[in-house]
Amino acid sequence: MAALPVILMIILYGSPSLISFAGSKASQPFKPPCRPGFSQNFYTVIVSRDVLHGQSILKVKFEDCQHSREVGFVSSDPYFSVRPDGTVYAEKEVANLSEPVQFMVTARGLHDPHIWETTVKLALAGHPHSLPLTKVGIEEMLSRVWESQPRVIKFPRRHQRGSSTNGLRRQKRDWVIPPINVPENSRGPFPHMLVRIRSDQDKDVGIRYSITGAGADQPPSGIYNIDPISGNMFVTQPLDREERASFHLRAHAVDMNGNQVENPIDLYIYVIDMNDNRPEFQNQVYNGSVAEGSKPGSSVMQVTATDSDDSTTANGMVRYRILSQSPHSPIPNMFTINSETGDIVTVAAGLDREKVSQYTIIIQATDMEGNLNFGLSNTATALISITDINDNPPELEGKTFSVEVPENKVNLVVTNLSVVDRDQPHSPNWNAVYRIVSGDPTGHFTVHTNPITNEGMLTVVKPVDFEMNRAFMLTVVVSNQAHLASGIQLSRQSTAGVTISVQDENEPPVFPVNPKMIRFEEGVPAGTTLTVFAAQDPDHFVHQIVRYSKLSDPANWLKINRTNGQITTMALLDRESMYVQDNIYEATFLAFDNGSPQASGTGTLQIYLIDVNDNAPVLIPREAQVCERARPNSKINITASDTDADPNVGPFVFELPSFPASVRRNWTISRLSGDYAQLRLRIPYLDSGVYEIPVIVSDSGNPPLSNRSVIRVKVCPCDDTGDCSATGAVAAAGLGTGAIIAILICIIVLLSMVLLFVVWMKRREKERQAKPLLIDPEDDVRDNILKYDEEGGGEEDQDYDLSQLQQPESLDHIINKPAGVRRVDERPVITESQYPARPSLPHPGDIGDFINDGLRAADNDPTAPPYDSLLVFDYEGSGSTAGSVSSLNSTSSGDQDYDYLNDWGPRFKKLADLYGGGDDD
């Protein structure tokens, strides 16, 4: 069992005055964080054997950290109580104490569930068995917690109401039931008795005791039990405060029948913390940093360790210390740590990143307030990186440099300037910045920093000329991108001299004026000398010959003299040529020397061509359209254009020629502005057609140029809106009025012919349907096909009964007729043949084919009448479709004149010969 090293001893020698002895703590550099709880975890008070009632023994100090927390104090010993201010006093006179007394003082928040505890030990003055304040003695005191528990806990006495004559009987106040304290991790033996629960009525009736709550009959169940007869309460196993710090049970007393004898009482069991957990760091490796050159006391980092034990006791109070530092440069103890907060700070100067860039520190955390004898410890590693500051300026490795550079070269690195900087590479403290401070007034050179090597690249940015400067003497300084740290007694920059010699090169000939512009009028004849386009050789110290050639001549108008550069024309210069842009014709020429190697230069010649009036104006549009009748909007706008330039263009003059005379008679033209004119009808009406109107336009040149342009005007009839009608569109296409009328008549005749043909076809079709088939008058009528599906000829044939000529609708009389009896004129009972279908609108040419197909089908059809060539008409028996002919009787008496048959035409000639021939001889 671990010990608690902090002990407060208060000695009381029979008098109310108290003499306290308290060990003072060493002052810490930082104020520790406030933790609510008792200021001490263990109080030992030496008192006399006689303790008087109400006598103050000691005062426990409690820190609530909020100054608003309401806390109540409770003593575990009923003989002692605690006032609200923390003063411990005797509840009654305690005479002749024979043994030391130990009890717990519990602080509990009135509005929150937090509980804090401290132990009070009352030792007797002069007691021979007083334990020394050693490790063994403290452990012995803590082990006696078992013995300090109250042995018997009684149920509170009930207030009994007295007789009516005596009134209420006032009884003495009951003792407050103290909490039960059980140390964690006890080795037993188990079960171990804690207290005895007893009722005053156990003498009168049989009592059965029980306990309920978490730890008894509720999870975690079985930790506590009670003997139901004796009331002895036991703990059955070791406890772990880190799992559960307190228990709240209720004790019950009932009789043998299960009736409640006493009101349940609350039992509070507190697990006394033991130092059984080591401090644990949040990280095994911590990373921090501090700038080099930092002053002592500079903050580096903070480490944190936690202990699962009670933080209000020494068991959970962690203290820190540094075990080792690596490396030991410049001294072994460059850092210190705040023992309570874990803040690491510097304690000495001399941090230099260039010497030591990182420190490794082993940190130990120990509980029991850092007591190495009793506390448990754990370690962690802190890696402290030393961050760089700019305490080392760059230094050029050389003070003088000599290099050469060819003339006329750009973007060429002449040399690399190397520097040494011990600061952090690739940081602003290390990055070098180069500047040329003298020797290059015209800015031919610059120095760029290589981001990888930090070297200065001296580069030519503007061509140097050997003929002008044969050498340069530069002064270059280098400094860091970041400012040098304060307090550094070194120059912030380094300086070097650079001598640059220029090497001569064969330079190409140079045209003094490039491009060169000259002015000439267009149209100069071939062979005209325009100018001399000569180049100069910049190599003055070497005599060289320059020759010329032509590079570009788009229109092939020019040539150049090979030796002197004279430019001569080979053709007329035309300003209106497609090769001339903005009046300028451009050609390029080459000049080259005879050096080694040969060098050449290019020159551009620009010829500004002055315009002359050599182009006549033209008119647009070339075609137009107007109405045949003069209207306000029947006019044509004309625009004149000229390819010449001012002043050889507008204002233009527009006029109509005098020949032919019809032009001026029918048309008139007027100028609207310098470039525009208007052509319109002079007469009120002009026949439709296409007219070619000549117009003469003249420019303003000196002398002016004229042009006769023909405008094709289409005259057409217009509608009310002034637009040409359909007829007018045809006329505008080039047709006269007579031609249009002839076309319309042809269209009407063609439509009439088509209509007549359609009427004739319909009439012919109707006649074919109405007329009977043509037959030969000589043929027998009986041998021809007769149609019976047309209307009758007159009223006299309406009295005939035609039903006898029709086929019966039913064949039952044939099917049911006895076998062997059949008439030859009966319709055979077989499947009917299929006749060709007649189209609804047959073509006239197909009628004959249709009739022939019908005849062939009828000849081959056994069901078509007549059914046999031999017809029997004398059968009138049962089953005959014909009625009796006995009723037939002629209505005429005497002969009948049939001569009128001769008037019926050739079709009835045979009948007329038979009946109209007169009397027989």
Side-chain angles (χ1 to χ4, degrees), residues 199-335:
S199 172
D200 291 338
Q201 302 184 38
D202 59 354
K203 298 178 181 180
D204 300 330
V205 296
I207 303 296
R208 293 292 181 265
Y209 301 97
S210 64
I211 56 175
T212 59
D217 61 343
Q218 299 177 12
S221 59
I223 298 178
Y224 303 98
N225 58 28
I226 189 171
D227 188 325
I229 297 176
S230 64
N232 293 333
M233 180 176 170
F234 300 90
V235 57
T236 64
Q237 63 189 31
L239 302 180
D240 187 356
R241 190 203 66 86
E242 286 69 46
E243 291 185 1
R244 191 178 184 99
S246 64
F247 297 87
H248 178 200
L249 303 178
R250 306 197 75 184
H252 306 270
V254 297
D255 58 14
M256 294 300 181
N257 297 324
N259 298 319
Q260 179 176 311
V261 177
E262 300 283 359
N263 291 328
I265 60 174
D266 293 318
L267 302 177
Y268 294 96
I269 302 175
Y270 300 114
V271 182
I272 299 176
D273 182 51
M274 296 298 171
N275 190 22
D276 58 346
N277 291 279
R278 293 181 179 273
E280 296 291 340
F281 283 96
Q282 294 182 357
N283 302 307
Q284 283 302 312
V285 178
Y286 290 85
N287 292 285
S289 62
V290 63
E292 64 175 329
S294 297
K295 297 179 180 179
S298 300
S299 176
V300 179
M301 60 192 303
Q302 183 184 33
V303 297
T304 304
T306 58
D307 196 314
S308 300
D309 292 326
D310 188 359
S311 61
T312 63
T313 67
N315 297 335
M317 294 182 179
V318 180
R319 298 295 182 263
Y320 305 93
R321 71 190 188 105
I322 295 177
L323 294 181
S324 64
Q325 168 192 309
S326 177
H328 293 171
S329 175
I331 60 174
N333 300 315
M334 290 294 296
F335 306 93

Side-chain angles (χ1 to χ4, degrees), residues 368-593:
M368 297 298 292
E369 296 184 293
N371 190 310
L372 299 179
N373 295 324
F374 310 133
L376 303 178
S377 301
N378 214 334
T379 60
T381 302
L383 300 178
I384 302 176
S385 298
I386 309 302
T387 59
D388 183 53
I389 63 172
N390 191 13
D391 57 347
N392 293 281
E395 296 180 5
L396 286 165
E397 292 186 346
K399 293 301 180 180
T400 59
F401 298 86
S402 297
V403 294
E404 294 181 348
V405 60
E407 65 174 336
N408 301 321
K409 301 292 184 181
V410 293
N411 298 324
L412 177 66
V413 177
V414 178
T415 186
N416 292 321
L417 306 178
S418 300
V419 295
V420 176
D421 195 322
R422 294 183 297 169
D423 289 324
Q424 180 69 39
H426 307 289
S427 68
N429 300 330
W430 179 80
N431 295 336
V433 179
Y434 299 86
R435 292 180 297 113
I436 299 175
V437 296
S438 64
D440 185 23
T442 55
H444 288 85
F445 304 93
T446 188
V447 184
H448 298 288
T449 303
N450 188 320
I452 299 176
T453 63
N454 212 26
E455 294 179 334
M457 300 182 294
L458 183 60
T459 308
V460 181
V461 294
K462 185 177 180 181
V464 294
D465 191 354
F466 176 80
E467 284 71 28
M468 297 182 64
N469 293 295
R470 296 189 179 186
F472 293 87
M473 299 294 294
L474 306 181
T475 301
V476 180
V477 297
V478 58
S479 59
N480 285 128
Q481 183 178 351
H483 294 290
L484 198 64
S486 60
I488 304 301
Q489 303 299 324
L490 295 173
S491 175
R492 66 182 184 88
Q493 63 187 16
S494 179
T495 306
V498 181
T499 302
I500 302 176
S501 300
V502 181
Q503 297 176 344
D504 186 25
E505 298 287 337
N506 184 24
E507 300 176 80
V510 177
F511 291 90
V513 180
N514 192 11
K516 180 179 182 180
M517 179 176 287
I518 59 176
R519 298 172 63 91
F520 265 88
E521 285 189 355
E522 64 173 330
V524 296
T528 302
T529 299
L530 300 180
T531 186
V532 175
F533 196 28
Q536 299 175 358
D537 193 343
D539 296 317
H540 304 302
F541 303 101
V542 180
H543 178 70
Q544 298 181 135
I545 301 174
V546 179
R547 294 291 183 264
Y548 304 92
S549 64
K550 185 169 62 173
L551 280 182
S552 173
D553 184 11
N556 199 22
W557 289 344
L558 308 174
K559 65 179 179 179
I560 186 170
N561 188 286
R562 180 177 176 83
T563 58
N564 59 13
Q566 179 176 308
I567 307 297
T568 308
T569 61
M570 296 190 304
L572 292 176
L573 305 183
D574 187 6
R575 192 196 67 86
E576 289 74 34
S577 172
M578 60 181 295
Y579 302 105
V580 177
Q581 301 294 330
D582 298 329
N583 300 331
I584 296 176
Y585 179 75
E586 191 171 274
T588 57
F589 300 91
L590 182 67
F592 52 92
D593 59 21

Side-chain angles (χ1 to χ4, degrees), residues 626-635 656 661-669 679-689 691 693 713 715-716:
V626 297
C627 298
E628 61 184 3
R629 296 186 180 276
R631 295 173 178 266
N633 57 353
S634 296
K635 51 192 174 183
L656 297 176
S662 59
V663 175
R664 292 193 174 183
R665 181 174 64 251
N666 299 332
W667 304 89
T668 182
I669 189 170
L679 179 66
R680 62 179 183 273
L681 281 175
R682 179 187 292 273
I683 59 178
Y685 175 80
L686 183 64
D687 291 338
S688 298
Y691 298 86
I693 311 301
V713 180
V715 180
C716 59

Side-chain angles (χ1 to χ4, degrees), residues 50-51 121 187 209 263 283 308 342 575 594 721 757 840 875:
D50 298 328
V51 180
K121 173 72 174 183
R187 298 180 180 179
Y209 301 97
N263 291 328
N283 302 307
S308 300
R575 192 196 67 86
N594 59 347
T721 61
F757 177 75
S840 59
Y875 178 77

